[in-house]
Amino acid sequence: MHIRFLLGCLLLAVVSVAQPPQSNPGSNHGNRFEQLGYLLQSPNEYRTASGAPGPKYWQQKADYDISVELDEANLRLTGTETITYFNNSPDQLTYLWMQLDENIHNPDHDYLRNGRNRMEANMSNTQLVNIEKWRTAQESGLGIKITKLTDASGNALKYTINQTMMRIDLPVALKPGQKFIFKIDWNYKIPDRLVWGSRGGYELFPEDGNAVFTMSQFYPRLAVYSDFQGWQNTQFSGGSEFALTFGNFKVKMTVPGDFVVAATGECQNYKQLLTAAQFQRWQQAQSAKDVVEVVTLAEATANEKDKSTDKKTWIYSAENVRDFAWGASRKFVWDAMPTYVEGKKIMSMSYYPKEAYALYRKYSTKVTAHTLKIYSKHTIPYPYPVAISVEASQGMEYPMIAFNYGRTEKDGTYSEATKYGMIGVVIHEVGHNFFPMIVNSDERQYWWMDEGLNTFTQFLTEGEFDNNYPSRRGPAHLITDYMKLPKDQLEPIMTMGDNVTQVGANAYAKAATGLNILRETVMGRELFDYSFREYARRWAFKHPTPADLFRTMEDASAVDLDWFWRGWYYGTEPVDISLDSVRWFKMNDASNTAAFQQKEFDAVHKLRNKDDKSITYATDADTSLRDYYYFNPGADAKFSQQQREAAITIDTENKSKWANKNFYELSFTNKGGMVMPVIVEWTFKDGSKEVDRVPVSVWKLNEQKFTKVFIKDKEVTAIRIDPMRETADIDESNNLWPVKEMPSKFNLFRLGGGPVRGASAGGNSMQRAQKKN
């Protein structure tokens, strides 16, 4: 429809600009832009308001000297460890808490009793066994056995085991600055990982009768004691992982003589363990330009045939790590190559059975190296001397070593999906070296703090690996199905650990998408990248909380993000911004209307002859001093239509500047609740495109709706909101507008005398004119 707006209506609108702005209705002005305030912990001398560690920040330390033996025939691990615990806190401690993660398989653990299940018409043996897993655990003898616990002098220590946590009662209170040395002997039956779904255990290969062992969470280890929550002694129930204390490790692992061991840290005795040819290849790998097989496929295949009765002890050491894990098997191929990060050499290595050879030999070590480089660019330079990827049909991370999956078909072929899945999991799990192995967040409390941050950085790393990588399309739209769910099926990202019901969607995808939106849409890459690196730098080898992340991101960027943390991390409202209407305007070229207005204006402001004998007042001598009230003393400021027309002239001087412009008035509604910047893509008649970005502050005074005018040189044929799907908008059907209507017309005026002088005749007046019509 072609609409010509009446001049009088436009003039009414111009006058209205001069009126005091009206406040928005309370229902449209919520609290989405209020500061987080009480939702964050109060700043103190340990953690500052800027998000940085405070001047009195402290954390505990625990050093471990561990010896273990793997009994392959009986599937049992036996260990002894000496622990030196340093109390760096200002508090006096009367007991210590230790984690016994392997006790998750103990039949007395709630984990084995609290599962939900139901009967069906047809039940398999596996389903029936799972219903009573606690009895299976009891029959299998699973769970850790503490055989001895003494202090450094050999005196027995009193302890209490509560499922996966063990409290050691100290004979004398441990004062600030003191250390306590104690010794623990223990053993446990190694579980079948595929049966129990556990992180640590064994996987048997029936074809050759050999197993791959992934020995993780295998030793009693100190829980975290921190300034913000004291002891973190929440039970381990198989889901959200663990907070751990940094320290140094020396670990001796005695295994069958034909086993190859990969572990956290650096091996201290390769020369005594490897054949001469293998050791020579290891030395060659130190400066190789490509991947070198230290233990070859042929050697690994030969190892599978005869099980050695000899034993060997592999010795590894690691400094300033929060945990220790290892993998062992006679099936392992082992390859290696050097990686350089800011001039420092890191040995990237992979260990894998022949069942994964075609994928892992080609990709694993090189993907590991790529991961170190990209993560280092976005966080801090990788500080450790090695990074290891082990194929073990699962994904799990530990310092310097990650267990991954990705096997081929029996003929060595693989699908593209398997390839990208394998690459993705290697990037993800090796990337966990940064979150939480270095930036040591607490997943038991905040699952998203390591998984969300790591998944976000994983997307960046994948994007720089292959221009065909699926995640290059952007992760935001992948979360929309989850965010469309009914409110009673959603939960905030800030939900505690094992209370999260949809972990993948919530703690991984939504948390990662939030950071991607900050980087690409809200802050921009330069500000985001600087702030994200600052967070990693500040909290490397420390224990950060969400408040430390939130505050650092704002402190380092000067961008107020409380609205984002409040909505995306503390809330469940989705993004759904609707483009409700599009109106097109062009300037009216009716010259007769302009001539009429000029004539009326001149009649009111007619200048008198200077020789007129009636000149008495200054307003007679200089008629420019006269205004509307001179002719209408005591009149109300509300003009009649005719008087307003008389006070305004057509702006012929600037008319040419706007004559060929296209004015588009767009009206938006926030249907989802989560405020977000608005990204508008314009498609012009000539086929070209252009993108405008409206900042989130456009919603501040009215969180429900706004109208905005855009001026374009070319005629628009289509409009799309969020064209790159970067804001996780859950309803794309209301993001499109095919412009078919003819433009409405408007006149361009210059303000003349009278009370309309000083009012703005810019875009706002145009908006008001169109609203009134």
Side-chain angles (χ1 to χ4, degrees):
M1 180 186 295
H2 183 185
I3 302 174
R4 299 175 65 92
F5 283 99
L6 295 175
L7 173 63
C9 294
L10 262 176
L11 297 177
L12 277 168
V14 174
V15 174
S16 71
V17 180
Q19 307 305 312
Q22 300 298 309
S23 60
N24 291 287
S27 61
N28 290 339
H29 192 280
N31 69 342
R32 292 180 177 88
F33 287 95
E34 296 303 317
Q35 298 297 286
L36 289 177
Y38 70 91
L39 292 174
L40 301 182
Q41 66 202 39
S42 299
N44 52 48
E45 58 190 356
Y46 309 125
R47 295 164 192 270
T48 69
S50 71
K56 293 187 177 180
Y57 175 84
W58 56 267
Q59 63 187 39
Q60 309 291 65
K61 181 186 178 186
D63 292 342
Y64 298 83
D65 191 335
I66 304 173
S67 295
V68 294
E69 182 169 348
L70 193 159
D71 182 346
E72 182 185 21
N74 296 302
L75 295 173
R76 181 168 294 279
L77 188 72
T78 302
T80 181
E81 61 188 288
T82 299
I83 304 171
T84 304
Y85 185 72
F86 299 85
N87 183 15
N88 297 322
S89 80
D91 306 326
Q92 183 171 283
L93 304 178
T94 56
Y95 49 77
L96 307 178
W97 278 104
M98 299 197 73
Q99 301 185 50
L100 306 180
D101 291 7
E102 191 53 44
N103 250 7
I104 192 174
H105 302 116
N106 187 301
D108 292 330
H109 195 294
D110 288 347
Y111 166 72
L112 297 180
R113 298 173 180 269
N114 65 9
R116 302 181 183 186
N117 38 56
R118 61 190 301 171
M119 293 300 294
E120 300 174 4
N122 298 298
M123 299 289 289
S124 69
N125 178 69
T126 301
Q127 286 176 303
L128 295 175
V129 168
N130 283 337
I131 290 175
E132 210 172 29
K133 252 188 174 180
W134 65 272
R135 188 181 299 278
T136 304
Q138 194 172 42
E139 293 171 353
S140 301
L142 298 182
I144 195 165
K145 313 294 190 297
I146 304 297
T147 57
K148 189 176 182 181
L149 176 60
T150 68
D151 63 15
S153 300
N155 300 311
L157 294 173
K158 182 180 179 182
Y159 65 93
T160 299
I161 295 177
N162 176 13
Q163 301 192 59
T164 59
M165 300 302 301
M166 178 172 73
R167 189 190 69 235
I168 300 176
D169 298 329
L170 300 177
V172 178
L174 186 63
K175 296 178 180 179
Q178 291 184 335
K179 65 181 179 181
F180 181 67
I181 302 173
F182 59 105
K183 183 177 179 180
I184 306 176
D185 294 347
W186 48 269
N187 66 80
Y188 66 84
K189 183 76 175 290
I190 303 171
D192 184 329
R193 282 194 295 102
L194 301 186
V195 171
W196 292 94
S198 56
R199 290 165 171 80
Y202 72 91
E203 177 189 1
L204 182 66
F205 288 73
E207 294 85 353
D208 54 57
N210 292 295
V212 168
F213 292 85
T214 55
M215 308 311 299
S216 57
Q217 298 152 244
F218 65 94
Y219 62 101
R221 51 195 181 160
L222 263 299
V224 167
Y225 183 77
S226 68
D227 62 276
F228 62 91
Q229 68 177 356
W231 285 106
Q232 169 51 294
N233 53 13
T234 303
Q235 296 290 343
F236 178 53
S237 58
S240 58
E241 290 151 12
F242 18 80
L244 293 167
T245 301
F246 283 103
N248 301 326
F249 285 77
K250 181 179 181 181
V251 183
K252 298 177 181 179
M253 293 150 284
T254 300
V255 297
D258 51 5
F259 270 35
V260 174
V261 172
T264 296
E266 293 181 288
C267 184
Q268 305 298 301
N269 60 336
Y270 277 147
K271 194 166 186 178
Q272 289 74 44
L273 299 168
L274 305 179
T275 66
Q278 290 168 345
F279 188 71
Q280 183 179 15
R281 295 184 208 123
W282 168 246
Q283 290 178 314
Q284 177 189 349
Q286 301 301 305
S287 57
K289 302 297 183 182
D290 205 344
V291 176
V292 174
E293 284 187 18
V294 179
V295 175
T296 67
L297 176 62
E299 290 170 333
T301 303
N303 280 346
E304 292 178 345
K305 297 176 181 178
D306 298 311
K307 295 183 178 181
S308 172
T309 57
D310 296 335
K311 296 180 181 180
K312 288 184 179 179
T313 298
W314 297 64
I315 303 173
Y316 275 77
S317 66
E319 295 183 357
N320 204 18
V321 294
R322 68 171 226 162
D323 201 2
F324 189 99
W326 52 292
S329 179
R330 61 175 55 86
K331 292 176 65 67
F332 278 158
V333 178
W334 165 25
D335 68 42
M337 68 176 288
T339 306
Y340 295 91
V341 173
E342 295 192 0
K344 177 186 175 182
K345 185 176 78 170
I346 301 148
M347 290 306 295
S348 295
M349 299 188 283
S350 297
Y351 298 75
Y352 43 92
K354 66 178 185 299
E355 288 79 2
Y357 185 84
L359 270 173
Y360 268 70
R361 179 62 176 85
K362 183 176 181 65
Y363 289 110
S364 180
T365 294
K366 290 185 177 180
V367 171
T368 297
H370 172 75
T371 302
L372 299 181
K373 292 176 182 177
I374 305 304
Y375 271 72
S376 295
K377 180 173 69 174
H378 289 287
T379 59
I380 62 168
Y382 185 72
Y384 295 129
V386 301
I388 296 171
S389 167
V390 179
E391 200 290 320
S393 73
Q394 66 170 345
M396 190 56 202
E397 73 280 0
Y398 300 91
M400 298 186 239
I401 187 170
F403 301 117
N404 308 307
Y405 61 78
R407 292 178 189 165
T408 66
E409 301 296 332
K410 289 188 176 181
D411 62 0
T413 61
Y414 51 84
S415 67
E416 186 179 46
T418 300
K419 164 194 163 182
Y420 281 125
M422 171 262 176
I423 293 171
V425 76
V426 171
I427 292 174
H428 183 90
E429 305 301 347
V430 172
H432 266 308
N433 274 289
F434 296 82
F435 307 106
M437 301 304 153
I438 297 170
V439 182
N440 189 24
S441 55
D442 175 9
E443 186 171 307
R444 199 74 55 85
Q445 191 77 11
Y446 308 108
W447 204 325
W448 67 271
M449 274 202 79
D450 69 276
E451 295 297 356
L453 271 64
N454 184 55
T455 302
F456 161 72
T457 318
Q458 173 192 345
F459 282 139
L460 298 179
T461 305
E462 289 170 350
E464 293 194 43
F465 180 79
D466 182 347
N467 63 358
N468 294 317
Y469 209 97
S471 64
R472 282 183 62 88
R473 294 190 293 269
H477 69 281
L478 302 177
I479 195 61
T480 54
D481 285 344
Y482 169 69
M483 297 179 72
K484 289 177 186 177
L485 292 176
K487 296 292 185 184
D488 62 354
Q489 296 181 37
L490 296 172
E491 57 208 347
I493 292 173
M494 287 293 291
T495 300
M496 177 180 175
D498 285 323
N499 294 339
V500 180
T501 56
Q502 298 200 46
V503 177
N506 188 287
Y508 288 69
K510 187 182 177 186
T513 298
L515 296 175
N516 193 68
I517 290 172
L518 285 181
R519 185 174 191 256
E520 301 295 337
T521 307
V522 176
M523 301 174 70
R525 293 183 179 183
E526 183 178 357
L527 285 175
F528 179 91
D529 289 353
Y530 180 88
S531 304
F532 195 64
R533 283 193 298 268
E534 180 66 8
Y535 167 71
R537 185 193 66 78
R538 286 177 173 183
W539 290 98
F541 304 104
K542 296 181 177 67
H543 305 295
T545 68
D548 302 316
L549 170 64
F550 297 160
R551 286 169 167 156
T552 295
M553 294 299 293
E554 297 188 30
D555 183 70
S557 68
V559 179
D560 181 1
L561 298 172
D562 278 25
W563 65 271
F564 190 83
W565 311 128
R566 178 184 291 276
W568 195 267
Y569 286 83
Y570 286 90
T572 59
E573 290 182 325
V575 177
D576 181 10
I577 297 172
S578 171
L579 174 58
D580 292 334
S581 66
V582 178
R583 307 182 77 184
W584 178 20
F585 296 85
K586 290 186 76 73
M587 187 181 297
N588 194 337
D589 59 358
S591 58
N592 60 332
T593 303
F596 171 79
Q597 296 304 322
Q598 187 65 44
K599 180 179 178 182
E600 291 298 311
F601 179 81
D602 290 344
V604 176
H605 292 273
K606 182 179 180 181
L607 294 177
R608 297 188 179 187
N609 190 309
K610 292 183 179 180
D611 296 329
D612 193 325
K613 299 296 184 182
S614 64
I615 294 177
T616 303
Y617 304 102
T619 52
D620 293 333
D622 184 354
T623 57
S624 67
L625 296 173
R626 297 176 180 180
D627 62 6
Y628 168 76
Y629 295 103
Y630 175 84
F631 297 103
N632 301 278
D636 190 278
K638 295 180 179 178
F639 296 120
S640 67
Q641 177 68 20
Q642 183 178 2
Q643 290 164 339
R644 275 191 293 273
E645 292 174 355
I648 301 178
T649 70
I650 292 294
D651 185 350
T652 56
E653 178 183 345
N654 290 310
K655 185 174 181 179
S656 61
K657 181 169 68 174
W658 306 108
N660 296 318
K661 300 292 185 182
N662 296 276
F663 296 77
Y664 293 93
E665 178 199 82
L666 275 57
S667 296
F668 301 90
T669 299
N670 178 7
K671 293 183 177 296
M674 176 71 197
V675 292
M676 192 64 67
V678 179
I679 307 157
V680 184
E681 180 188 71
W682 308 86
T683 301
F684 298 105
K685 197 172 184 179
D686 63 5
S688 62
K689 293 180 183 291
E690 182 177 276
V691 173
D692 285 317
R693 291 179 175 264
V694 182
V696 71
S697 52
V698 74
W699 300 102
K700 275 195 171 183
L701 298 182
N702 187 324
E703 297 173 0
Q704 303 302 317
K705 57 187 177 181
F706 75 89
T707 300
K708 189 173 182 62
V709 175
F710 301 83
I711 305 173
K712 299 299 175 185
D713 292 328
K714 295 181 287 187
E715 186 177 325
V716 173
T717 58
I719 299 173
R720 181 175 181 177
I721 307 305
D722 194 18
M724 290 168 282
R725 309 172 85 185
E726 60 187 271
T727 67
D729 194 307
I730 65 170
D731 185 2
E732 295 180 289
S733 68
N734 59 25
N735 291 0
L736 303 172
W737 194 271
V739 180
K740 298 179 181 178
E741 295 82 356
M742 292 296 292
S744 303
K745 297 291 186 180
F746 74 96
N747 288 298
L748 178 68
F749 293 98
R750 172 181 291 158
L751 297 177
V756 294
R757 185 179 292 277
S760 170
N764 286 336
S765 64
M766 186 177 69
Q767 291 176 15
R768 288 179 170 84
Q770 295 157 8
K771 287 179 182 177
K772 286 182 177 292
N773 288 274

